[in-house]
Amino acid sequence: VAAPEKMPGATEPDLAIDPNDPARMVVGAIMGGLKGDDSVAYPAFASADGGATWSRATGPPPSHAGDPGVEFDLDGVVYLSTLDPTARDGTPIGITVGRSTDGGRSFTKAAYAMDTSTSFAFPDGVARKLCGEEGNFFDYPKLAVDRGADSPYRNRLYLIANGINFDRDADGVCESASHLFVRSIDGGLHWDSAQSIPAMKQYTSSLAVGADGAIYVSDPTFGTPSCPGAPGLALRKSIDGGSTFPPAMCVPAQDLKLSGDPTWTAADPGAPGKVAIAFSAVYPGRAGVHVFVVRSDDGGRSWSLPARVDDLLDRDEVDHFRPSLSVSESGRLDLVWADYRYSKPRRFRESRQSGDVYYSYSL
């Protein structure tokens, strides 16, 4: 599809498929550096024939293209979110979202979903903006679209990111990060409901939107009000289209020790209330990180025991982590993860260590 001249090449790709036409798809990736003097070609490519041929998207490109996210809505409109982590090129620090009505062949000028001028409502009732110091930015954004055909919030856009940092006590010192949420009810033209997610401590890899419009976001937690005294997954659920997120409910991790790796939450597109979370954890007193899934059939009120997904090996001191989970319209769960069973060492020790990607599914 693309091979940038600069190393490390095209990284952090994200792919989306048109729910009305599986032959139409769009992929985005980081296509260049993130410094203010780096020019970035348009970071998206479109295919109308199931991936046999691709064309590069056109339009006013985002100034940077970090952490791309691609989504289709139910009407075939494509959205591309990207991270701009520096103001050295004359643009604000923030997350931008571009819009395409021709299957990803061309995009409008990207609008900011959040930047340093955005005021976020915090649980204490005070609105705060990201500190404007160098090195503070929005990180790890995740974009989602409500594709529930019968959802009251059909085609709404939701975006979450980590804000680094805020002056929480107004003493002039930037000292605390926070996970932030915004939404758009008009196809990305305007963004509102900017808020800090209560007590969210760790990163998450996805926003899940149920068939009934419920929004789910989870993260691993320990010693927080969500799961006092025990490890668990904190799950927040909004049932009013992202207007509010009540305090988190605790999803027990049983006797597992959470690794701190981001969770991945996915909702069944055809069955309201069915949601699953993939996460990585270790058995106490044993080496090796493993991948687990928990599921709920009642919108998060009750949960299954964690099911281990990676294989039980003769020498089980192996790292398996960073799971990615989806649920199909038939209810099938599909899962991939990073696996180091054939790596040397079999524990993850350094960036770019050789490893594999493994897959499993559940009916």
Side-chain angles (χ1 to χ4, degrees):
V1 177
E5 295 180 1
K6 292 185 178 180
M7 289 297 291
T11 58
E12 302 191 13
D14 194 35
L15 174 72
I17 297 174
D18 189 335
N20 302 305
D21 182 359
R24 297 194 343 150
M25 56 186 71
V26 176
V27 64
I30 299 176
M31 303 299 295
L34 295 178
K35 296 181 180 180
D37 55 354
D38 280 341
S39 61
V40 179
Y42 210 90
F45 296 80
S47 174
D49 54 13
T53 60
W54 295 83
S55 61
R56 188 168 210 148
T58 62
S63 58
H64 291 298
D67 292 359
V70 185
E71 291 285 345
F72 277 87
D73 71 11
L74 282 174
D75 298 328
V77 179
V78 187
Y79 299 93
L80 172 70
S81 65
T82 56
L83 162 67
D84 185 348
T86 177
R88 284 174 289 176
D89 58 351
T91 61
I93 291 171
I95 309 297
T96 63
V97 179
R99 187 174 190 269
S100 171
T101 58
D102 59 6
R105 293 189 298 273
S106 63
F107 282 81
T108 60
K109 181 175 177 56
Y112 275 88
M114 60 177 72
D115 61 28
T116 49
S117 69
T118 306
S119 292
F120 297 92
F122 276 69
D124 60 6
V126 177
R128 297 180 174 88
K129 299 178 182 179
L130 188 78
C131 286
E133 297 179 359
E134 181 70 24
N136 293 330
F137 60 96
F138 301 98
D139 193 22
Y140 209 57
K142 301 300 170 187
L143 179 68
V145 177
D146 187 332
R147 287 195 290 268
D150 299 322
S151 168
Y153 311 114
R154 185 182 189 272
N155 283 346
R156 281 195 181 184
L157 306 181
Y158 304 116
L159 191 145
I160 191 172
N162 189 37
I164 310 170
N165 281 307
F166 288 85
D167 181 2
R168 293 292 298 270
D169 51 12
D171 63 354
V173 179
C174 302
E175 74 286 313
S176 177
S178 181
H179 283 83
L180 311 167
F181 172 89
V182 291
R183 71 176 182 187
S184 175
I185 63 175
D186 59 4
L189 299 178
H190 304 90
W191 295 81
D192 63 12
S193 195
Q195 57 190 288
S196 169
I197 303 295
M200 187 170 175
K201 300 296 185 181
Q202 303 293 335
Y203 284 87
T204 188
S205 290
S206 72
L207 281 172
V209 185
D212 57 356
I215 307 167
Y216 300 91
V217 56
S218 69
D219 72 305
T221 184
F222 184 86
T224 71
S226 306
C227 296
L233 308 174
L235 180 75
R236 296 151 191 88
K237 177 183 178 182
S238 173
I239 59 174
D240 55 11
S243 294
T244 59
F245 282 86
M249 60 189 84
C250 182
V251 182
Q254 303 303 319
D255 59 347
L256 300 172
K257 181 181 178 181
L258 300 175
S259 70
D261 203 39
T263 57
W264 193 295
T265 311
D268 191 318
K274 288 192 174 183
V275 60
I277 305 173
F279 65 98
S280 54
V282 301
Y283 295 110
R286 293 162 58 182
V289 180
H290 304 288
V291 173
F292 298 87
V293 170
V294 290
R295 63 177 177 83
S296 173
D297 295 331
D298 55 14
R301 290 189 294 273
S302 62
W303 291 87
S304 68
L305 294 174
R308 178 173 166 177
V309 182
D310 58 272
D311 302 312
L312 178 64
L313 305 174
D314 291 336
R315 293 171 51 232
D316 211 31
E317 298 81 15
V318 179
D319 281 346
H320 323 259
F321 57 87
R322 279 295 174 112
S324 173
L325 175 68
S326 71
V327 186
S328 74
E329 292 183 354
S330 68
R332 187 190 69 240
L333 276 68
D334 296 280
L335 186 74
V336 295
W337 66 91
D339 196 295
Y340 291 86
R341 67 184 68 186
Y342 295 119
S343 179
K344 294 182 179 180
R346 287 152 54 99
R347 305 293 310 280
F348 180 76
R349 299 302 186 197
E350 60 184 3
S351 180
R352 301 188 183 278
Q353 179 176 330
S354 296
D356 300 302
V357 175
Y358 269 69
Y359 162 81
S360 186
Y361 70 93
S362 174
L363 300 177

